[in-house]
Amino acid sequence: MKKVLKVTAGVAGVLVLLVIGLSLFVKSYLSSDRLKTIILPKAEAITGRKVQLDKINVSFFKGVVAKGLSVKEKDGREDFLKIGRFVLFYRLLPLLKRQVVISRIEIVSPSISIGKEKGGGYNFSDILEKRSQEPERPHRPAGSEHQALPVSIIADRLFIRNASLTFVDQGKRLPDISAAFDAEFTGGLKKDGSPRVDSGLISFKELRAKLKDMEVRGSGKVDMDANAIRASLQAMIGKDNIEISATAKNYRSAPEIIADVHAKTLDLQRLIGLSGEKKAKKNRAQEKGGEVKSPKASDGDMMERLKAEGEIKVDRAKYQDYSIKDARIHYQFAKGVMKVNPLGLKFSAEGSFTAEGVFNGTVQFAAGETSGIQKTLKGIGVAKLGKGAIKESEIFDAIANLTGVPSLKNPSFDDGLFNLSIKDENALMDGWISSPLFKVSSRGMVDFEKRLDMRTEVKLSPSLTGIMKGRLAALKFLADEEGWMIIPLKIKGTTDKPSVNYDKEALGEQLGRGLTKEIERRLLERKHKESERPPDETNP
């Protein structure tokens, strides 16, 4: 037993001496001053920026711990990147060969401030340009290794804790964004020094975006591997909660994205207000008639390569006086073109137009600026209406004044159907609304400037035709066999200021048909009377 204790004590002593010896060796080999002289010049050469490091400690058990590492902005004053603590865990055995093999990296409390300048560049553009302009390094001859510390970075894992990121657009065209997150990556460095990511997980504790006067908040997780990125995110816009589930394959070359969005409630008026584009002011080149720079070709190439599809589901949405239920939108994006097929929803309206109905259709447009979307927008749709009413309508006010039928001023209807076709910045409409007292059918065009060119037919029941006596001298010639009077109209002007008049061409044709029928009717009556007249007995 005594021998065992002696042997154990001896082994323990040797291990203690070994640990002490290795600790001394590590601290002497990886001294703070030596590491600073290696790290700082190299970092400044790579970034072209001033780099500061408060202190760096080397521990046998804790690894290399750097504190207060910062990369300055171009002006050398504000921090572009700042790291509270930076820890490198190394392997012990390679140290005996005077090599540092980094197996794990921990970055604690990093913060990065990204800014988009008014000219369109970013506050890190000079770093990227410097790296792209660096000449290829010549092969170092044997025996020159003593001039630098030989470091091999395997980096099985990279941990990022309590990270923060801010984005500010000085031109105020993009929203201000801030994020707080943790991350974990596995991978290493390629031969050219660029990072290789085998897998990763980013946990967003908080995402904030300032859009006009509204703050959008979010959270969620993003995990990735060499082939795909998967995201599960939640966003809050006011009181509306939006869930996003997405997968992106081939994200490094030709992204293929499947993204689904679900919202239980949605304020569309607020959402459209947040995303609405302001008309861009003409820049100096445009004002002087100079050449306007076109978008970068790389941006167009990416849009051509990008593919996306998915489904957007909204249980309930609100837009002005309209309520939308059970909206289901399936979209596909490829080669810069967005296609929505099918688009289906139920709606109800309150206010100047009151009705319930169902809409189904398809839409497509080229992605880009609002003006480009408007020019390429095309689609078809069908709206089926249930019971409803129209109030405070400039068009129906004009129809009521022209025909002299007050009930057409605020008409109530039982059902309706409208076919819609959008093409070449015009909306072609063909549809009707009806009730036991009237039927209004319209066919024509409304363009994106609200200009009207509609042919409308108002059909009035016999109970309403009496109101119009004296308005049209040929009233009886406009009625059909059942006594319903048909009045053809033309509607011009705009939706705000419509111009409603009789369609003289159609009215003439209709009157002609009415007169013809009246003449035929009278001839038939006369012939019938003549056939019933008794023969003249005095006539041999």
Side-chain angles (χ1 to χ4, degrees), residues 517-531:
K517 288 181 180 180
E518 180 66 15
I519 293 170
E520 290 175 350
R521 184 183 66 80
R522 291 189 178 187
L523 288 173
L524 285 172
E525 286 181 354
R526 182 178 177 181
K527 188 175 182 179
H528 180 69
K529 287 180 180 180
E530 289 178 352
S531 64

Side-chain angles (χ1 to χ4, degrees), residues 401-412:
N401 292 332
L402 181 67
T403 60
V405 182
S407 57
L408 292 178
K409 189 176 183 68
N410 298 308
S412 297

Side-chain angles (χ1 to χ4, degrees), residues 22 25-26 29-30 59-64 88-105 150-157 187:
L22 286 173
F25 170 74
V26 166
Y29 181 59
L30 300 177
S59 171
F60 180 72
F61 294 104
K62 295 181 179 180
V64 180
L88 303 177
F89 293 89
Y90 51 81
R91 294 181 179 177
L92 294 176
L93 291 180
L95 286 175
L96 300 176
K97 299 179 182 179
R98 301 179 66 83
Q99 291 182 339
V100 180
V101 178
I102 305 300
S103 60
R104 175 178 167 182
I105 301 174
V151 176
S152 174
I153 300 179
I154 296 175
D156 298 309
R157 291 188 180 278

Side-chain angles (χ1 to χ4, degrees), residues 181-253:
F181 61 93
D182 294 332
E184 177 181 340
F185 300 96
T186 63
L189 293 179
K190 299 178 182 179
K191 292 181 179 180
D192 61 359
S194 61
R196 185 194 76 249
V197 177
D198 297 329
S199 65
L201 174 64
I202 304 174
S203 300
F204 289 99
K205 302 174 185 178
E206 186 177 60
L207 288 166
R208 289 179 180 268
K210 189 71 173 179
L211 299 172
K212 295 185 178 179
D213 296 328
M214 177 63 63
E215 186 176 63
V216 179
R217 292 171 293 140
S219 62
K221 293 184 178 181
V222 177
D223 70 271
M224 64 185 72
D225 55 35
N227 300 313
I229 298 175
R230 293 162 289 274
S232 176
L233 304 172
Q234 297 80 41
M236 290 290 294
I237 303 177
K239 296 180 180 179
D240 299 330
N241 187 2
I242 302 173
E243 298 177 355
I244 303 170
S245 176
T247 300
K249 298 180 179 179
N250 302 323
Y251 58 91
R252 296 176 179 175
S253 54

Side-chain angles (χ1 to χ4, degrees), residues 406-509:
S407 57
L408 292 178
K409 189 176 183 68
N410 298 308
S412 297
F413 56 88
D414 291 339
D415 57 1
L417 177 69
F418 282 89
N419 293 299
L420 178 67
S421 177
I422 300 175
K423 188 178 181 181
D424 299 329
E425 300 186 69
N426 292 318
L428 301 177
M429 297 178 61
D430 182 6
W432 51 266
I433 57 172
S434 68
S435 76
L437 297 177
F438 71 90
K439 182 175 182 178
V440 178
S441 303
S442 290
R443 179 183 177 85
M445 178 272 295
V446 181
D447 67 14
F448 288 178
E449 300 296 327
K450 298 183 179 181
R451 290 182 293 236
L452 295 166
D453 186 4
M454 307 286 293
R455 284 197 166 189
T456 300
E457 187 178 85
V458 179
K459 191 174 182 181
L460 302 176
S461 68
S463 61
L464 290 179
T465 55
I467 301 174
M468 289 192 64
K469 286 182 178 179
R471 303 287 293 192
L472 288 173
L475 178 66
K476 60 183 179 179
F477 298 125
L478 299 177
D480 61 12
E481 291 80 359
E482 298 176 353
W484 284 69
M485 184 171 61
I486 302 171
I487 306 172
L489 304 173
K490 267 188 177 182
I491 303 176
K492 296 279 190 176
T494 66
T495 55
D496 298 326
K497 293 183 178 181
S499 173
V500 180
N501 292 290
Y502 293 111
D503 187 341
K504 294 180 180 179
E505 182 181 350
L507 194 62
E509 292 176 359

Side-chain angles (χ1 to χ4, degrees), residues 139-156:
H139 178 69
R140 271 193 279 179
S144 63
E145 287 80 359
H146 66 279
Q147 297 176 3
L149 181 66
V151 176
S152 174
I153 300 179
I154 296 175
D156 298 309

Side-chain angles (χ1 to χ4, degrees), residues 122-378:
Y122 292 85
N123 62 339
F124 56 82
S125 299
D126 60 312
I127 298 176
L128 298 180
E129 290 173 2
K130 182 174 177 58
R131 287 186 61 85
S132 65
Q133 294 172 2
E134 285 183 355
E136 188 176 349
R137 296 180 187 177
H139 178 69
R140 271 193 279 179
S144 63
E145 287 80 359
H146 66 279
Q147 297 176 3
L149 181 66
V151 176
S152 174
I153 300 179
I154 296 175
D156 298 309
R157 291 188 180 278
L158 167 63
F159 294 90
I160 301 175
R161 300 283 183 260
N162 299 321
S164 63
L165 178 146
T166 60
F167 171 82
V168 176
D169 182 7
Q170 294 180 4
K172 301 302 179 184
R173 296 193 66 183
L174 296 176
D176 293 344
I177 299 172
S178 64
F181 61 93
D182 294 332
E184 177 181 340
F185 300 96
T186 63
L189 293 179
K190 299 178 182 179
K191 292 181 179 180
D192 61 359
S194 61
R196 185 194 76 249
V197 177
D198 297 329
S199 65
L201 174 64
I202 304 174
S203 300
F204 289 99
K205 302 174 185 178
E206 186 177 60
L207 288 166
R208 289 179 180 268
K210 189 71 173 179
L211 299 172
K212 295 185 178 179
D213 296 328
M214 177 63 63
E215 186 176 63
V216 179
R217 292 171 293 140
S219 62
K221 293 184 178 181
V222 177
D223 70 271
M224 64 185 72
D225 55 35
N227 300 313
I229 298 175
R230 293 162 289 274
S232 176
L233 304 172
Q234 297 80 41
M236 290 290 294
I237 303 177
K239 296 180 180 179
D240 299 330
N241 187 2
I242 302 173
E243 298 177 355
I244 303 170
S245 176
T247 300
K249 298 180 179 179
N250 302 323
Y251 58 91
R252 296 176 179 175
S253 54
E256 297 179 13
I257 301 172
I258 298 176
D260 297 327
V261 180
H262 178 228
K264 291 184 177 180
T265 60
L266 204 60
D267 188 334
L268 289 176
Q269 189 170 358
R270 177 186 293 159
L271 192 62
I272 292 172
L274 293 178
S275 61
E277 288 186 8
K278 295 181 180 179
K279 290 185 178 180
K281 295 181 179 179
K282 292 182 179 181
N283 57 36
R284 293 180 181 178
Q286 289 174 300
E287 290 173 352
K288 295 179 180 180
E291 184 180 354
V292 181
K293 291 183 179 180
S294 59
K296 292 182 179 180
S298 58
D299 296 337
D301 292 342
M302 177 55 72
M303 294 296 285
E304 285 291 319
R305 294 196 301 269
L306 176 64
K307 294 181 180 179
E309 68 173 304
E311 189 173 41
I312 300 173
K313 297 181 181 180
V314 181
D315 297 341
R316 289 182 178 274
K318 187 77 175 176
Y319 179 72
Q320 295 181 350
D321 295 329
Y322 294 89
S323 297
I324 296 171
K325 296 187 295 183
D326 301 328
R328 299 294 183 266
I329 302 170
H330 185 271
Y331 67 90
Q332 288 182 318
F333 181 86
K335 295 183 178 180
V337 176
M338 175 69 77
K339 295 181 180 180
V340 177
N341 184 17
L343 185 159
L345 55 87
K346 299 175 183 177
F347 65 88
S348 61
E350 299 177 357
S352 59
F353 174 76
T354 304
E356 291 187 356
V358 178
F359 179 84
N360 291 284
T362 64
V363 177
Q364 79 173 55
F365 55 86
E369 298 292 333
T370 301
S371 58
I373 293 175
Q374 181 172 306
K375 290 178 181 178
T376 58
L377 179 65
K378 60 182 179 179

